[in-house]
Amino acid sequence: MSTLERLAVLADGAKYDVSCASSGVNKQNKGGIGNSKSFGICHTWSADGRCVSLLKLLLTNYCIYNCHYCINRNQNDIPRASFTPREVADLTIQFYRRNYIEGLFLSSGIERSPNHTMERIYQVLDILRHEYHFYGYIHVKVIPGADPALVNKTGLLADRMSINIEQPTEQSLKLLAPQKTLPVLFAPMNQINNQMTQNASERKIFRHVQKFVPAGQSTQMIVGASKDSDLSIIKATETLYNRFQLKRVYYSAYVPVNEGPNLPALSTSPPLLREHRLYQADWLLRFYSFKADEIVNEQSPFLDTDFDPKISWALRNMQLFPLEINQASYEELLRIPGVGVTSAQRIILQRRLGNISYNHLKKMGVVLKRAKYFITCQGCYYGGIPAESALVRQALAPVAKPVQLCLF
Amino acid sequence: MDYLYDGSFDGLLTSIYYSYYEQRAQGIYPEASYQFNMFTPSTVIQSDPVLAARVYDAIDRKISVYSLMQIYYVYLSNNTAKENLILKYLQLGFQLGPKIDSIHSHPEVLPIRQTAKKVSFEAERFLGLLRFTDTRSYLYSALEPDHNILILLADHFADRLAGERFIIHDKKRSLAIICNKKDWYLSDFSEEAAIPDSETEQLYQELWAKYFTRISIENRKNKKLQSHFIPQRYRHNLVEFRKSELL
Ligand code: SF4
């Protein structure tokens, strides 16, 4: 097969992975090629509207495993191909020089054995870092079951590592990825987390100690392949953030690629709105100090489709509103629908210089269409209807739009 | 009195100096595009680096570095009223001092913030959307940005491609960043670099275009969203759109 054909096959196999953002580290070029910017640079957008910043590739799509949801599973009859470590390294450098990409995101099917595959991934990094002196961003997938020593030496060359847990519960893993178990997935996560903490304290004493996975680790969960509720997913997310200090948990709306008794029918369309809501909920966990229980609970284990999770929460807690813009604390401001991190900060800053009027708010980026039911400004309420859950719910209800799913 | 300047940042700051110490400027305009009219007298300001530096330092000391940056970004914008936005902003800034940085919604401040944001947004966008072609002797990139952002790109690429020689060419303004292994300068530049496409260059362009089409997921297709991120006017300089006929 030509390079062109193999690239097609191996890009195809990698495209369902979402953790492709390159943000997280600032790194200067120290006499080679490349640097990294912490804000993350998008280089293009594919026809599905997703940002392309990294060369996302599989080293090989041969796999000895048989995860039901995966296009590359062993029992599928699909074109197979592999790259050599050098080919991947060359492709990365040549794409990088032309500014097509911000770095490499390398994943792989498990060929022969976890160790064999992990070793080859390491070789790619070895060539890029030591031969080409590449300072750009590299994210690699850890192969579950690989020797911790291999994971360790790869981690010293990578910016970010991830182990996809794919399913939020042990049951669905058993059902859909019979060769994987949570303990096997958690072991390297734990190892990386410990190593990172240890590395950080060593670096305080010895400045020359090499950085270990400076951009942290992330993971991905597939949404909609199993029957798991949003509650399970958000709970699992919270645990992952707390237990392993993950930088990000990504959600990927399941695109049916295989037939199977435990899988949704091939004709099912990917649950994009659900994915979108989960990202909004995740955002609340990471930046707005919400707890999982506040977002979903046993009584209603699925996120509201009509409202974003912050509005849903506010509607369930109307007794806390309206809040006075000129008095609410920063934490309280953040809980107002329509007020984001930036506008909350602007409010706090400008408040020091004088009272804020209702007119000011719009210019500060507050979305008054939503916020007006939840605030007073200099004592006045501008909602126009009583601040009661049912009424506000009605006022905020989305007008039925046929394009709902384009939200993402 | 209208002040006419040569279009340089120094010239603009010099005009502001005279507006403070000689006669207050009613408006400041680039000499090249000024529409003379019978009722407003005008005078041409010679740009003076020493006077410009004084205004520069004064902004830095009495207002803030942040304001200085913002003004520079506005100066790089394609906003035709930019000189006067800057003039009014500085008048307020010299009254209020650093406080001006927190009154985001003020009528003299908001347009500055919004314009500066557009410029920095476009500059950041081009950190990603710029494409180099390997001509064998150097890397070449052509772009046509809305704002005059070239200078905001230079350090980034000079660091990133430290060992390379490259040219980033703003075709709209006939300007280019020319970089020779880390040292760069901005220069007038109008030739469309003749690109002797090497075989490997063709190969990598094809590989990239192929990669680009394969990475998108059919069931999630969303062209509207894609156009939102990459407006049509940027596309003809992008290999992946040219080659995959998605222009
Ligand atoms: S191990 Fe990875 S590549 Fe192999 S079948 Fe499972 S998900 Fe697919």
Side-chain angles (χ1 to χ4, degrees), chain A residues 27-57:
Chain A
K27 211 168 30 164
Q28 270 211 313
N29 183 345
K30 297 189 191 127
I33 173 172
N35 58 17
S36 303
K37 293 284 171 193
S38 64
F39 50 80
I41 297 176
C42 298
H43 286 256
T44 192
W45 281 265
S46 60
D48 51 26
R50 296 187 309 162
C51 144
V52 180
S53 67
L54 304 176
L55 172 61
K56 196 156 46 157
L57 268 190

PDB file of all heavy atoms in Angstrom, chain A residues 27-57:
ATOM      1  N   LYS A  27       5.902  25.802  25.612  1.00  0.00           N
ATOM      2  CA  LYS A  27       7.251  25.251  25.542  1.00  0.00           C
ATOM      3  C   LYS A  27       7.992  25.977  24.444  1.00  0.00           C
ATOM      4  O   LYS A  27       7.496  26.144  23.346  1.00  0.00           O
ATOM      5  CB  LYS A  27       7.171  23.766  25.227  1.00  0.00           C
ATOM      6  CG  LYS A  27       8.280  22.977  25.822  1.00  0.00           C
ATOM      7  CD  LYS A  27       8.021  21.489  25.746  1.00  0.00           C
ATOM      8  CE  LYS A  27       7.201  21.108  24.561  1.00  0.00           C
ATOM      9  NZ  LYS A  27       7.185  19.720  24.198  1.00  0.00           N
ATOM     10  N   GLN A  28       9.186  26.421  24.771  1.00  0.00           N
ATOM     11  CA  GLN A  28       9.988  27.135  23.786  1.00  0.00           C
ATOM     12  C   GLN A  28      10.846  26.186  23.000  1.00  0.00           C
ATOM     13  O   GLN A  28      11.170  25.096  23.445  1.00  0.00           O
ATOM     14  CB  GLN A  28      10.879  28.124  24.519  1.00  0.00           C
ATOM     15  CG  GLN A  28      10.226  29.469  24.693  1.00  0.00           C
ATOM     16  CD  GLN A  28      11.282  30.545  24.691  1.00  0.00           C
ATOM     17  OE1 GLN A  28      12.289  30.390  25.375  1.00  0.00           O
ATOM     18  NE2 GLN A  28      11.080  31.587  23.923  1.00  0.00           N
ATOM     19  N   ASN A  29      11.198  26.637  21.831  1.00  0.00           N
ATOM     20  CA  ASN A  29      12.120  25.886  21.000  1.00  0.00           C
ATOM     21  C   ASN A  29      13.532  26.066  21.552  1.00  0.00           C
ATOM     22  O   ASN A  29      14.012  27.174  21.680  1.00  0.00           O
ATOM     23  CB  ASN A  29      12.015  26.457  19.589  1.00  0.00           C
ATOM     24  CG  ASN A  29      12.881  25.701  18.613  1.00  0.00           C
ATOM     25  OD1 ASN A  29      13.763  24.941  19.001  1.00  0.00           O
ATOM     26  ND2 ASN A  29      12.627  25.916  17.335  1.00  0.00           N
ATOM     27  N   LYS A  30      14.168  24.951  21.891  1.00  0.00           N
ATOM     28  CA  LYS A  30      15.527  25.080  22.420  1.00  0.00           C
ATOM     29  C   LYS A  30      16.526  24.516  21.435  1.00  0.00           C
ATOM     30  O   LYS A  30      17.254  23.573  21.727  1.00  0.00           O
ATOM     31  CB  LYS A  30      15.646  24.360  23.764  1.00  0.00           C
ATOM     32  CG  LYS A  30      14.744  24.967  24.824  1.00  0.00           C
ATOM     33  CD  LYS A  30      15.039  24.394  26.195  1.00  0.00           C
ATOM     34  CE  LYS A  30      13.966  24.790  27.189  1.00  0.00           C
ATOM     35  NZ  LYS A  30      13.389  23.643  27.910  1.00  0.00           N
ATOM     36  N   GLY A  31      16.517  25.050  20.251  1.00  0.00           N
ATOM     37  CA  GLY A  31      17.516  24.639  19.288  1.00  0.00           C
ATOM     38  C   GLY A  31      17.123  23.436  18.480  1.00  0.00           C
ATOM     39  O   GLY A  31      17.928  22.536  18.234  1.00  0.00           O
ATOM     40  N   GLY A  32      15.904  23.365  18.050  1.00  0.00           N
ATOM     41  CA  GLY A  32      15.469  22.307  17.158  1.00  0.00           C
ATOM     42  C   GLY A  32      14.343  22.873  16.352  1.00  0.00           C
ATOM     43  O   GLY A  32      14.407  24.008  15.909  1.00  0.00           O
ATOM     44  N   ILE A  33      13.290  22.096  16.196  1.00  0.00           N
ATOM     45  CA  ILE A  33      12.120  22.626  15.513  1.00  0.00           C
ATOM     46  C   ILE A  33      10.916  22.540  16.451  1.00  0.00           C
ATOM     47  O   ILE A  33      10.764  21.579  17.181  1.00  0.00           O
ATOM     48  CB  ILE A  33      11.849  21.871  14.184  1.00  0.00           C
ATOM     49  CG1 ILE A  33      10.524  22.328  13.581  1.00  0.00           C
ATOM     50  CG2 ILE A  33      11.866  20.365  14.374  1.00  0.00           C
ATOM     51  CD1 ILE A  33      10.268  21.788  12.190  1.00  0.00           C
ATOM     52  N   GLY A  34      10.110  23.613  16.426  1.00  0.00           N
ATOM     53  CA  GLY A  34       8.835  23.544  17.120  1.00  0.00           C
ATOM     54  C   GLY A  34       8.779  24.149  18.497  1.00  0.00           C
ATOM     55  O   GLY A  34       9.791  24.284  19.175  1.00  0.00           O
ATOM     56  N   ASN A  35       7.566  24.556  18.881  1.00  0.00           N
ATOM     57  CA  ASN A  35       7.278  25.010  20.232  1.00  0.00           C
ATOM     58  C   ASN A  35       5.811  24.711  20.508  1.00  0.00           C
ATOM     59  O   ASN A  35       5.106  24.245  19.636  1.00  0.00           O
ATOM     60  CB  ASN A  35       7.596  26.503  20.382  1.00  0.00           C
ATOM     61  CG  ASN A  35       6.812  27.367  19.398  1.00  0.00           C
ATOM     62  OD1 ASN A  35       5.816  26.938  18.825  1.00  0.00           O
ATOM     63  ND2 ASN A  35       7.270  28.580  19.205  1.00  0.00           N
ATOM     64  N   SER A  36       5.383  24.965  21.740  1.00  0.00           N
ATOM     65  CA  SER A  36       3.970  24.724  22.047  1.00  0.00           C
ATOM     66  C   SER A  36       3.387  25.952  22.710  1.00  0.00           C
ATOM     67  O   SER A  36       4.052  26.610  23.490  1.00  0.00           O
ATOM     68  CB  SER A  36       3.810  23.553  23.015  1.00  0.00           C
ATOM     69  OG  SER A  36       4.409  22.410  22.487  1.00  0.00           O
ATOM     70  N   LYS A  37       2.155  26.236  22.385  1.00  0.00           N
ATOM     71  CA  LYS A  37       1.456  27.372  22.981  1.00  0.00           C
ATOM     72  C   LYS A  37       0.368  26.846  23.889  1.00  0.00           C
ATOM     73  O   LYS A  37      -0.368  25.943  23.511  1.00  0.00           O
ATOM     74  CB  LYS A  37       0.793  28.214  21.886  1.00  0.00           C
ATOM     75  CG  LYS A  37       1.786  28.912  20.997  1.00  0.00           C
ATOM     76  CD  LYS A  37       2.374  30.113  21.716  1.00  0.00           C
ATOM     77  CE  LYS A  37       3.511  30.631  20.882  1.00  0.00           C
ATOM     78  NZ  LYS A  37       4.377  31.570  21.488  1.00  0.00           N
ATOM     79  N   SER A  38       0.284  27.430  25.079  1.00  0.00           N
ATOM     80  CA  SER A  38      -0.669  26.873  26.033  1.00  0.00           C
ATOM     81  C   SER A  38      -2.111  27.119  25.621  1.00  0.00           C
ATOM     82  O   SER A  38      -3.011  26.448  26.062  1.00  0.00           O
ATOM     83  CB  SER A  38      -0.432  27.451  27.408  1.00  0.00           C
ATOM     84  OG  SER A  38      -0.688  28.827  27.376  1.00  0.00           O
ATOM     85  N   PHE A  39      -2.360  28.116  24.745  1.00  0.00           N
ATOM     86  CA  PHE A  39      -3.769  28.370  24.420  1.00  0.00           C
ATOM     87  C   PHE A  39      -4.309  27.438  23.345  1.00  0.00           C
ATOM     88  O   PHE A  39      -5.506  27.403  23.089  1.00  0.00           O
ATOM     89  CB  PHE A  39      -4.016  29.836  24.047  1.00  0.00           C
ATOM     90  CG  PHE A  39      -3.087  30.394  23.007  1.00  0.00           C
ATOM     91  CD1 PHE A  39      -3.305  30.127  21.660  1.00  0.00           C
ATOM     92  CD2 PHE A  39      -2.006  31.186  23.378  1.00  0.00           C
ATOM     93  CE1 PHE A  39      -2.460  30.658  20.704  1.00  0.00           C
ATOM     94  CE2 PHE A  39      -1.161  31.720  22.421  1.00  0.00           C
ATOM     95  CZ  PHE A  39      -1.385  31.457  21.089  1.00  0.00           C
ATOM     96  N   GLY A  40      -3.433  26.666  22.705  1.00  0.00           N
ATOM     97  CA  GLY A  40      -3.958  25.716  21.736  1.00  0.00           C
ATOM     98  C   GLY A  40      -4.307  26.398  20.440  1.00  0.00           C
ATOM     99  O   GLY A  40      -5.064  27.351  20.419  1.00  0.00           O
ATOM    100  N   ILE A  41      -3.720  25.925  19.350  1.00  0.00           N
ATOM    101  CA  ILE A  41      -3.958  26.562  18.060  1.00  0.00           C
ATOM    102  C   ILE A  41      -4.706  25.595  17.154  1.00  0.00           C
ATOM    103  O   ILE A  41      -4.287  24.456  16.986  1.00  0.00           O
ATOM    104  CB  ILE A  41      -2.606  26.944  17.415  1.00  0.00           C
ATOM    105  CG1 ILE A  41      -1.887  27.962  18.297  1.00  0.00           C
ATOM    106  CG2 ILE A  41      -2.812  27.490  16.012  1.00  0.00           C
ATOM    107  CD1 ILE A  41      -0.502  28.340  17.812  1.00  0.00           C
ATOM    108  N   CYS A  42      -5.806  26.050  16.584  1.00  0.00           N
ATOM    109  CA  CYS A  42      -6.524  25.228  15.619  1.00  0.00           C
ATOM    110  C   CYS A  42      -5.976  25.511  14.236  1.00  0.00           C
ATOM    111  O   CYS A  42      -5.850  26.666  13.843  1.00  0.00           O
ATOM    112  CB  CYS A  42      -8.013  25.552  15.632  1.00  0.00           C
ATOM    113  SG  CYS A  42      -8.771  25.201  17.202  1.00  0.00           S
ATOM    114  N   HIS A  43      -5.683  24.478  13.483  1.00  0.00           N
ATOM    115  CA  HIS A  43      -5.090  24.689  12.166  1.00  0.00           C
ATOM    116  C   HIS A  43      -6.090  24.591  11.026  1.00  0.00           C
ATOM    117  O   HIS A  43      -5.892  25.145   9.966  1.00  0.00           O
ATOM    118  CB  HIS A  43      -3.921  23.738  11.948  1.00  0.00           C
ATOM    119  CG  HIS A  43      -2.715  24.150  12.734  1.00  0.00           C
ATOM    120  ND1 HIS A  43      -1.628  24.750  12.165  1.00  0.00           N
ATOM    121  CD2 HIS A  43      -2.469  24.120  14.065  1.00  0.00           C
ATOM    122  CE1 HIS A  43      -0.745  25.048  13.108  1.00  0.00           C
ATOM    123  NE2 HIS A  43      -1.233  24.666  14.263  1.00  0.00           N
ATOM    124  N   THR A  44      -7.144  23.853  11.242  1.00  0.00           N
ATOM    125  CA  THR A  44      -8.214  23.853  10.247  1.00  0.00           C
ATOM    126  C   THR A  44      -9.441  23.235  10.895  1.00  0.00           C
ATOM    127  O   THR A  44      -9.404  22.828  12.059  1.00  0.00           O
ATOM    128  CB  THR A  44      -7.784  23.108   8.954  1.00  0.00           C
ATOM    129  OG1 THR A  44      -8.735  23.367   7.931  1.00  0.00           O
ATOM    130  CG2 THR A  44      -7.679  21.617   9.167  1.00  0.00           C
ATOM    131  N   TRP A  45     -10.546  23.218  10.151  1.00  0.00           N
ATOM    132  CA  TRP A  45     -11.763  22.603  10.660  1.00  0.00           C
ATOM    133  C   TRP A  45     -12.294  21.642   9.621  1.00  0.00           C
ATOM    134  O   TRP A  45     -12.470  22.008   8.461  1.00  0.00           O
ATOM    135  CB  TRP A  45     -12.812  23.673  10.991  1.00  0.00           C
ATOM    136  CG  TRP A  45     -12.555  24.346  12.294  1.00  0.00           C
ATOM    137  CD1 TRP A  45     -13.090  24.018  13.509  1.00  0.00           C
ATOM    138  CD2 TRP A  45     -11.682  25.468  12.552  1.00  0.00           C
ATOM    139  NE1 TRP A  45     -12.605  24.858  14.495  1.00  0.00           N
ATOM    140  CE2 TRP A  45     -11.754  25.747  13.942  1.00  0.00           C
ATOM    141  CE3 TRP A  45     -10.861  26.250  11.750  1.00  0.00           C
ATOM    142  CZ2 TRP A  45     -11.021  26.774  14.519  1.00  0.00           C
ATOM    143  CZ3 TRP A  45     -10.131  27.271  12.335  1.00  0.00           C
ATOM    144  CH2 TRP A  45     -10.214  27.525  13.707  1.00  0.00           C
ATOM    145  N   SER A  46     -12.545  20.413  10.037  1.00  0.00           N
ATOM    146  CA  SER A  46     -12.989  19.408   9.080  1.00  0.00           C
ATOM    147  C   SER A  46     -14.470  19.611   8.760  1.00  0.00           C
ATOM    148  O   SER A  46     -15.141  20.418   9.395  1.00  0.00           O
ATOM    149  CB  SER A  46     -12.744  18.011   9.640  1.00  0.00           C
ATOM    150  OG  SER A  46     -13.457  17.860  10.840  1.00  0.00           O
ATOM    151  N   ALA A  47     -14.942  18.847   7.793  1.00  0.00           N
ATOM    152  CA  ALA A  47     -16.306  19.040   7.308  1.00  0.00           C
ATOM    153  C   ALA A  47     -17.361  18.787   8.391  1.00  0.00           C
ATOM    154  O   ALA A  47     -18.502  19.200   8.261  1.00  0.00           O
ATOM    155  CB  ALA A  47     -16.569  18.134   6.106  1.00  0.00           C
ATOM    156  N   ASP A  48     -16.984  18.115   9.494  1.00  0.00           N
ATOM    157  CA  ASP A  48     -17.950  17.948  10.576  1.00  0.00           C
ATOM    158  C   ASP A  48     -17.857  19.091  11.586  1.00  0.00           C
ATOM    159  O   ASP A  48     -18.489  19.064  12.634  1.00  0.00           O
ATOM    160  CB  ASP A  48     -17.783  16.580  11.257  1.00  0.00           C
ATOM    161  CG  ASP A  48     -16.342  16.314  11.675  1.00  0.00           C
ATOM    162  OD1 ASP A  48     -15.608  17.290  11.907  1.00  0.00           O
ATOM    163  OD2 ASP A  48     -15.957  15.136  11.751  1.00  0.00           O
ATOM    164  N   GLY A  49     -17.035  20.091  11.258  1.00  0.00           N
ATOM    165  CA  GLY A  49     -16.971  21.276  12.105  1.00  0.00           C
ATOM    166  C   GLY A  49     -16.044  21.127  13.298  1.00  0.00           C
ATOM    167  O   GLY A  49     -15.998  21.998  14.163  1.00  0.00           O
ATOM    168  N   ARG A  50     -15.301  20.013  13.351  1.00  0.00           N
ATOM    169  CA  ARG A  50     -14.390  19.849  14.493  1.00  0.00           C
ATOM    170  C   ARG A  50     -13.028  20.438  14.175  1.00  0.00           C
ATOM    171  O   ARG A  50     -12.545  20.359  13.043  1.00  0.00           O
ATOM    172  CB  ARG A  50     -14.247  18.364  14.853  1.00  0.00           C
ATOM    173  CG  ARG A  50     -15.569  17.766  15.314  1.00  0.00           C
ATOM    174  CD  ARG A  50     -15.412  16.361  15.822  1.00  0.00           C
ATOM    175  NE  ARG A  50     -14.697  15.509  14.886  1.00  0.00           N
ATOM    176  CZ  ARG A  50     -14.134  14.367  15.227  1.00  0.00           C
ATOM    177  NH1 ARG A  50     -14.189  13.945  16.468  1.00  0.00           N
ATOM    178  NH2 ARG A  50     -13.521  13.646  14.318  1.00  0.00           N
ATOM    179  N   CYS A  51     -12.428  21.012  15.197  1.00  0.00           N
ATOM    180  CA  CYS A  51     -11.134  21.645  15.008  1.00  0.00           C
ATOM    181  C   CYS A  51     -10.051  20.596  14.789  1.00  0.00           C
ATOM    182  O   CYS A  51     -10.044  19.547  15.425  1.00  0.00           O
ATOM    183  CB  CYS A  51     -10.812  22.480  16.245  1.00  0.00           C
ATOM    184  SG  CYS A  51      -9.086  22.507  16.704  1.00  0.00           S
ATOM    185  N   VAL A  52      -9.156  20.857  13.861  1.00  0.00           N
ATOM    186  CA  VAL A  52      -8.022  19.963  13.647  1.00  0.00           C
ATOM    187  C   VAL A  52      -6.771  20.681  14.118  1.00  0.00           C
ATOM    188  O   VAL A  52      -6.387  21.701  13.554  1.00  0.00           O
ATOM    189  CB  VAL A  52      -7.859  19.611  12.159  1.00  0.00           C
ATOM    190  CG1 VAL A  52      -6.670  18.687  11.952  1.00  0.00           C
ATOM    191  CG2 VAL A  52      -9.123  18.992  11.600  1.00  0.00           C
ATOM    192  N   SER A  53      -6.159  20.188  15.173  1.00  0.00           N
ATOM    193  CA  SER A  53      -4.924  20.834  15.580  1.00  0.00           C
ATOM    194  C   SER A  53      -3.758  19.852  15.564  1.00  0.00           C
ATOM    195  O   SER A  53      -2.618  20.235  15.428  1.00  0.00           O
ATOM    196  CB  SER A  53      -5.074  21.479  16.955  1.00  0.00           C
ATOM    197  OG  SER A  53      -5.242  20.505  17.938  1.00  0.00           O
ATOM    198  N   LEU A  54      -4.059  18.578  15.687  1.00  0.00           N
ATOM    199  CA  LEU A  54      -2.974  17.600  15.725  1.00  0.00           C
ATOM    200  C   LEU A  54      -3.117  16.590  14.592  1.00  0.00           C
ATOM    201  O   LEU A  54      -4.216  16.343  14.112  1.00  0.00           O
ATOM    202  CB  LEU A  54      -3.013  16.837  17.056  1.00  0.00           C
ATOM    203  CG  LEU A  54      -2.954  17.689  18.315  1.00  0.00           C
ATOM    204  CD1 LEU A  54      -3.104  16.808  19.541  1.00  0.00           C
ATOM    205  CD2 LEU A  54      -1.656  18.471  18.383  1.00  0.00           C
ATOM    206  N   LEU A  55      -2.009  16.053  14.205  1.00  0.00           N
ATOM    207  CA  LEU A  55      -2.044  14.922  13.284  1.00  0.00           C
ATOM    208  C   LEU A  55      -2.459  13.720  14.120  1.00  0.00           C
ATOM    209  O   LEU A  55      -1.699  13.217  14.944  1.00  0.00           O
ATOM    210  CB  LEU A  55      -0.661  14.700  12.676  1.00  0.00           C
ATOM    211  CG  LEU A  55      -0.501  13.434  11.835  1.00  0.00           C
ATOM    212  CD1 LEU A  55      -1.439  13.420  10.647  1.00  0.00           C
ATOM    213  CD2 LEU A  55       0.944  13.278  11.373  1.00  0.00           C
ATOM    214  N   LYS A  56      -3.713  13.313  13.900  1.00  0.00           N
ATOM    215  CA  LYS A  56      -4.273  12.248  14.720  1.00  0.00           C
ATOM    216  C   LYS A  56      -4.183  10.966  13.926  1.00  0.00           C
ATOM    217  O   LYS A  56      -4.804  10.835  12.886  1.00  0.00           O
ATOM    218  CB  LYS A  56      -5.724  12.608  15.030  1.00  0.00           C
ATOM    219  CG  LYS A  56      -6.329  11.845  16.131  1.00  0.00           C
ATOM    220  CD  LYS A  56      -7.493  12.598  16.786  1.00  0.00           C
ATOM    221  CE  LYS A  56      -8.464  13.205  15.821  1.00  0.00           C
ATOM    222  NZ  LYS A  56      -9.797  13.423  16.410  1.00  0.00           N
ATOM    223  N   LEU A  57      -3.404  10.032  14.412  1.00  0.00           N
ATOM    224  CA  LEU A  57      -3.109   8.838  13.631  1.00  0.00           C
ATOM    225  C   LEU A  57      -3.070   7.592  14.488  1.00  0.00           C
ATOM    226  O   LEU A  57      -2.779   7.656  15.679  1.00  0.00           O
ATOM    227  CB  LEU A  57      -1.705   8.961  13.038  1.00  0.00           C
ATOM    228  CG  LEU A  57      -1.479   9.561  11.657  1.00  0.00           C
ATOM    229  CD1 LEU A  57      -0.033   9.305  11.277  1.00  0.00           C
ATOM    230  CD2 LEU A  57      -2.423   8.963  10.636  1.00  0.00           C
TER     231      LEU A  57
END
